[in-house]
Amino acid sequence: MARPKPALILSDDERQKLTTWANRPKSTQRLALRARIVLACADETSNKAVASQLGVCAATVGTWRNRFVAQRLDGLVDEPRPGAPRTVTDADVERVVTATLETKPKAATHWSTRGMAQATGMSQSTISRIWRTFELKPHRADTFKLSTDPYFVEKVRDVVGLYLAPPDRAIVLSVDEKSQVQALDRTQPVLPMTPAQVERGTHDYVRHGTTSLFAALDVATGKVIGTCHRRHRHQEFLKFLDHVDATLPREPGVSVHIVLDNYATHKTPAVKRWFVRHPEYHLHFIPTSSSWLNQVERFFAEITEKRIRRGVFKSVHALEQAITEYLAEHNADPKPFAWVADADSILDRIKRVCERTSDSGH
């Protein structure tokens, strides 16, 4: 006869906890398997039957049955492994974290692992582990700027409303200029990419002049109307507006809403007169220091990354030709940028930033 097995009876709380462990997606697979074994053993006395049902060996089922009977839920959790005792206490960890967040090294702007190790008497690897655990990165810094526009809230709601819910029978254009685009030529030929070797170009370059890209992004379709001009004045902006008016396909009675920044070129008397002569155009100015609100900036980032930054141009004409070719390729299969943030979420985030920085001492 087989050896008698200890009785395994689950309370309601234990069954609920084991079910949670067995079904929770974030549970470790080992703990989830042990919970399923115990739940099966509560309904089945044969270890072989449970093993066949769960696809494990009978010895494994016996181990976790006995462990649960002896220690209940605590028996399913991995026991501490033997090894050397901790040399870094919780107080040491707190001391490093506090020093990293609240102090700076003498005659320096931020801590390094070696500097913090010397200041605290710990090893560099220990400091590195603590920083990784708490996601502390003193070597990195980011930038921000808060707009001081007195009509910031109203302008944000106006522009975001155009993106998320444009008016009926209306076209929304995001307009701006990428000025001072340099035609840069490397001093030596670029070395092409090879296996185990990235593309290489000289760090120095020769300047051949600049151009400015005037662009209007159709928010709904993703198409871009763009032209290049050697100068960046209101005269060139007026030429661009004429080009947009002649190029933009629209039916009679369709209004055009233009999102612009506060650059002085966009507000000269000549420009104002142009819009008076074209009443179907409506202007929406973004807040000062808020270029992130202008969707065409995302297109400028793409053309810079994909075509301009690593390009080699021996003349301004070559640069302008490359930009024109990129525009044609982009408009052959345009894809609009999906704006998902509503005005309330944007304003709430800015509010939280203001609350964190209002008493920062800076």
Side-chain angles (χ1 to χ4, degrees):
M1 297 178 60
R3 290 179 296 176
K5 300 179 180 62
L8 197 158
I9 301 175
L10 300 177
S11 65
D12 293 340
D13 291 340
E14 289 175 336
R15 184 176 292 276
Q16 180 180 3
K17 188 66 174 178
L18 289 169
T19 302
T20 302
W21 284 352
N23 298 330
R24 191 172 58 190
K26 293 186 178 181
S27 297
T28 62
Q29 291 302 306
R30 288 178 297 180
L31 182 59
L33 176 61
R34 296 165 191 173
R36 288 194 290 268
I37 289 174
V38 174
L39 287 171
C41 288
D43 302 325
E44 174 61 58
T45 58
S46 171
N47 288 350
K48 291 184 178 181
V50 173
S52 177
Q53 175 185 345
L54 298 179
V56 297
C57 65
T60 300
V61 176
T63 297
W64 294 112
R65 178 195 288 270
N66 296 332
R67 182 82 68 86
F68 181 82
V69 171
Q71 303 179 33
R72 311 308 292 180
L73 292 175
D74 293 339
L76 302 184
V77 182
D78 288 331
E79 298 178 350
R81 296 186 177 183
R86 287 180 59 187
T87 58
V88 179
T89 64
D90 291 342
D92 293 331
V93 174
E94 181 181 2
R95 181 160 56 93
V96 171
V97 173
T98 302
T100 305
L101 295 176
E102 301 180 2
T103 66
K104 293 184 181 298
K106 186 177 180 180
T109 59
H110 58 278
W111 288 103
S112 65
T113 53
R114 291 178 176 82
M116 182 60 71
Q118 184 177 4
T120 58
M122 303 181 190
S123 67
Q124 179 187 353
S125 58
T126 299
I127 301 298
S128 181
R129 285 196 301 271
I130 294 174
W131 283 358
R132 285 197 301 271
T133 301
F134 290 90
E135 296 187 3
L136 297 174
K137 303 174 182 179
H139 65 287
R140 297 189 60 184
D142 206 347
T143 59
F144 76 99
K145 185 174 184 179
L146 295 176
S147 174
T148 57
D149 194 314
Y151 298 102
F152 178 81
V153 175
E154 292 82 355
K155 290 181 179 180
V156 167
R157 293 193 181 278
D158 179 36
V159 174
V160 174
L162 279 178
Y163 293 157
L164 297 180
D168 294 334
R169 293 183 59 78
I171 298 174
V172 179
L173 297 180
S174 177
V175 176
D176 201 0
E177 302 90 39
K178 183 175 178 60
S179 59
Q180 299 296 312
V181 184
Q182 298 189 75
L184 302 180
D185 182 18
R186 303 296 168 179
T187 57
Q188 298 178 27
V190 174
L191 300 180
M193 177 178 61
T194 59
Q197 179 65 63
V198 300
E199 179 185 284
R200 290 173 293 170
T202 59
H203 69 278
D204 54 345
Y205 44 79
V206 178
R207 295 183 177 92
H208 292 294
T210 62
T211 188
S212 294
L213 170 60
F214 290 69
L217 168 70
D218 189 330
V219 173
T221 65
K223 287 188 175 182
V224 177
I225 301 174
T227 58
C228 291
H229 295 281
R230 300 295 174 91
R231 303 185 69 177
H232 187 198
R233 306 170 301 171
H234 78 274
Q235 292 92 332
E236 284 72 30
F237 184 60
L238 287 173
K239 294 178 182 178
F240 175 66
L241 290 177
D242 290 333
H243 177 68
V244 170
D245 187 58
T247 306
L248 186 65
R250 64 184 186 276
E251 300 175 355
V254 174
S255 60
V256 181
H257 295 259
I258 296 182
V259 178
L260 282 170
D261 63 15
N262 294 271
Y263 191 58
T265 299
H266 304 154
K267 299 180 178 181
T268 62
V271 172
K272 293 179 180 178
R273 289 193 297 269
W274 190 95
F275 284 110
V276 170
R277 294 193 303 270
H278 298 78
E280 68 274 19
Y281 286 81
H282 306 275
L283 297 181
H284 303 263
F285 289 98
I286 64 174
T288 57
S289 305
S290 301
S291 60
W292 49 269
L293 200 55
N294 204 344
Q295 281 204 43
V296 74
E297 295 289 348
R298 189 65 194 89
F299 171 76
F300 287 156
E302 279 197 356
I303 192 173
T304 301
E305 178 65 25
K306 296 180 179 179
R307 188 62 187 94
I308 298 176
R309 178 172 291 129
R310 288 170 56 177
V312 177
F313 309 105
K314 298 185 179 299
S315 65
V316 177
H317 175 73
L319 171 61
E320 293 176 341
Q321 184 177 3
I323 293 175
T324 302
E325 291 174 354
Y326 183 89
L327 288 171
E329 184 70 19
H330 172 85
N331 290 330
D333 184 22
K335 292 180 177 60
F337 299 108
W339 188 279
V340 296
D342 58 24
D344 288 335
S345 64
I346 294 174
L347 296 174
D348 287 343
R349 182 176 181 181
I350 294 175
K351 178 184 177 181
R352 292 193 298 269
V353 172
C354 293
E355 289 174 348
R356 289 199 307 268
T357 59
S358 60
D359 298 324
S360 63
H362 296 285

